[in-house]
Amino acid sequence: MTVPEDLTDAEKADADLAAVAIPGADDVRTNLTVPTTGANGSAIEWTVPSGAPVALREGTADGTLTLVVDRPAAGADPVPVVVTATARIGDAVRTRDVALALQPLPAADADEEAYVWAFFTGEGAGAERVSLAASRGNDALSWNTLNDGEPLFTSTQGTEGLRDPFIIRSAEGDRFYMLATDLKVDGLAGGFDTAQRSGSLFIEVWESNDLVNWSEQRHVKVSGDYAGNTWAPEAYWDEELDTYVVYWASNLYDTTDPADRTAVTYNRMMYATTDDFTTFSEARPWVDVQRGTGRGTIDATIAQVDDTYYRFIKDEASMTIRQERSDDLLSTVTGALPGATGPADEWTLVKDQVATGLPNGEPGGAFTQGRGRASSPPTRATSTATSGTSSSTSPPTTAGRTTTSPSPPPTSPTATRGSRSARRCATVSRRTPTAASPATAPSSR
């Protein structure tokens, strides 16, 4: 057995500074997360030049700071800023400069042409991958499936399955983040039961500036070790908090060893915050209500009107949708689902069994209950993502030409959202999107 030689303090400081990475430093369009501790024990301090359009604040996760960026106006040139990291351990002090390029804000008058829709289909062989579709203009009932109807994203990490895709437009308006569940049910012994006891603690993330060219897949742990699954992640930019709130469903257990979990508990809605979809705060319960044996709440989505948040969430007791409202996005619910009355800063019921009994689009059919996502509006697109080819970064993938389909694809739709709120929609281009690394898409439950 070889014992590695102990590093000197100077070597530790050098190694910790060398490990500092700021993804996208040459194309800054949103706030950034930086570390305050190194793997070798260094304390890392950050300084910014006086008068620079960058400020420091406490980070969303322990051991981090947030670089709050003030981007130049639309039409201006990118602004270079150099921030400095100083690593200290023992008597050793080392510094490193990191160059940032702050991009100008997008023009406010970009024309919106269509909606973009991310979806996956089923659990069969070759499914559990993500596809994209674009609406025919301002019509969310008529769609063109991109890439000849073939999936664009195939997962290469985790379970190598993708489900429940969700796209959000950044607060600034010129970046998009796609989140997906890390879950492959096809071939999984025990199916959804196993998936809730020993499932993934990770979500899958991609980002794009145009809905056409996508980054490499990021496999990011957001759940704690006591969770059994991490399902249907969505995100919402909260202007008051000045950060993104990401939420998903997890079963929680009293042991971190999946082998000791003899039965499913029930799904709680969990949340964390993030500035950049790379570093996340500790997960916290948001809705913790048991609705029967092995049943809870899943598949939440959020919209805001004026100062009021509206939450649509699936109640697994009836597999139907509830609509709730609150003036406080992060108000928690425990023990029992809320009724119709209560303080404005707590969640109260607007309507339960939303849409039950209404026509479901099938001849003579009516909606009774669901098994997939609760609710998720499409994202508005501009004239760059709705046709042509799309590309992926690792390895590059060309999507091919657009295929017309008279109605939306079958399961688990998630269309791109507005930027700062659901009222501001994402824009789609006329080229077919391409995923940086082929992704596999998760289907609905």
Side-chain angles (χ1 to χ4, degrees):
M1 175 173 151
T2 302
V3 179
E5 183 179 351
D6 286 342
L7 298 177
T8 66
D9 286 344
E11 289 170 332
K12 291 177 181 178
D14 286 337
D16 286 341
L17 279 184
V20 169
I22 302 181
D26 59 347
D27 184 28
V28 177
R29 298 168 187 258
T30 191
N31 295 340
L32 302 168
T33 301
V34 294
T36 58
T37 57
N40 294 291
S42 301
I44 303 175
E45 301 169 0
W46 291 85
T47 56
V48 300
S50 176
V54 176
L56 294 168
R57 75 174 185 208
E58 184 178 350
T60 55
D62 292 341
T64 68
L65 289 174
T66 295
L67 299 179
V68 181
V69 300
D70 184 9
R71 291 170 56 184
D77 292 332
V79 172
V81 176
V82 176
V83 297
T84 301
T86 301
R88 302 176 187 273
I89 183 168
D91 294 330
V93 179
R94 293 289 189 271
T95 62
R96 176 186 162 196
D97 289 341
V98 181
L100 309 177
L102 277 55
Q103 301 300 313
L105 290 165
D109 58 353
D111 292 334
E112 295 177 342
E113 294 196 3
Y115 294 98
V116 125
W117 185 11
F119 65 96
F120 73 102
T121 54
E123 286 94 40
E128 297 182 290
R129 296 181 289 167
V130 170
S131 298
L132 296 181
S135 69
R136 301 175 188 173
N138 187 21
D139 183 355
L141 297 178
S142 181
W143 297 85
N144 293 325
T145 304
L146 305 182
N147 195 35
D148 291 327
E150 293 299 316
L152 283 159
F153 299 83
T154 298
S155 179
T156 59
Q157 302 194 51
T159 67
E160 299 188 352
L162 297 175
R163 306 172 67 95
D164 314 318
F166 173 83
I167 302 177
I168 182 172
R169 189 177 188 172
S170 70
E172 297 78 12
D174 58 348
R175 179 159 289 169
F176 303 88
Y177 299 96
M178 183 168 73
L179 315 180
T181 304
D182 175 28
L183 173 59
K184 188 172 186 178
V185 176
D186 181 47
L188 178 64
F192 286 110
D193 182 84
T194 298
Q196 294 177 85
R197 288 187 290 111
S198 57
S200 178
L201 307 181
F202 292 71
I203 63 172
E204 308 309 315
V205 182
W206 291 261
E207 57 186 77
S208 172
N209 294 340
D210 56 11
L211 292 172
V212 177
N213 302 288
W214 291 85
S215 70
E216 294 182 1
Q217 178 182 358
R218 290 204 296 271
H219 185 59
V220 185
K221 184 179 178 182
V222 295
S223 288
D225 292 340
Y226 290 90
N229 57 299
T230 309
W231 279 3
E234 289 200 7
Y236 188 82
W237 168 262
D238 188 77
E239 198 154 5
E240 183 177 351
L241 296 172
D242 194 35
T243 194
Y244 297 94
V245 178
V246 181
Y247 42 90
W248 64 89
S250 290
N251 280 254
L252 299 181
Y253 298 88
D254 59 5
T255 174
T256 61
D257 186 353
D260 294 334
R261 300 168 182 172
T262 57
V264 167
T265 57
Y266 59 94
N267 275 299
R268 288 83 159 167
M269 287 304 306
M270 309 292 292
Y271 78 89
T273 57
T274 183
D275 291 318
D276 53 13
F277 293 91
T278 299
T279 302
F280 292 77
S281 70
E282 181 182 355
R284 301 176 184 276
W286 194 29
V287 182
D288 186 350
V289 179
Q290 186 167 7
R291 297 294 292 157
T293 302
R295 296 191 175 196
T297 53
I298 61 173
D299 296 345
T301 197
I302 290 291
Q304 185 178 2
V305 178
D306 298 325
D307 294 329
T308 301
Y309 300 96
Y310 291 89
R311 178 169 67 194
F312 294 84
I313 189 169
K314 186 197 293 184
D315 176 5
E316 288 190 307
S318 59
M319 295 298 177
T320 59
I321 303 166
R322 289 172 55 90
Q323 180 187 357
E324 301 168 345
R325 60 181 290 164
S326 174
D327 291 348
D328 180 359
L329 176 62
L330 298 185
S331 177
T332 57
V333 173
T334 58
L337 293 177
T341 60
D345 62 352
E346 296 181 3
W347 290 99
T348 55
L349 176 67
V350 175
K351 180 175 175 57
D352 60 4
Q353 299 191 9
V354 173
T356 297
L358 295 181
N360 66 358
E362 299 294 333
F367 173 77
T368 55
Q369 60 180 182
R371 61 189 287 267
R373 305 295 294 274
S375 169
S376 186
T379 301
R380 271 285 176 88
T382 57
S383 60
T384 33
T386 51
S387 70
T389 60
S390 89
S391 59
S392 68
T393 62
S394 170
T397 302
T398 301
R401 72 176 186 279
T402 314
T403 297
T404 299
S405 62
S407 59
T411 59
S412 194
T414 299
T416 2
R417 293 277 198 103
S419 56
R420 287 188 179 268
S421 75
R423 294 170 291 175
R424 184 175 170 192
C425 292
T427 53
V428 170
S429 82
R430 290 291 175 193
R431 287 172 290 155
T432 306
T434 63
S437 40
T440 309
S443 11
S444 2
R445 291 171 298 287

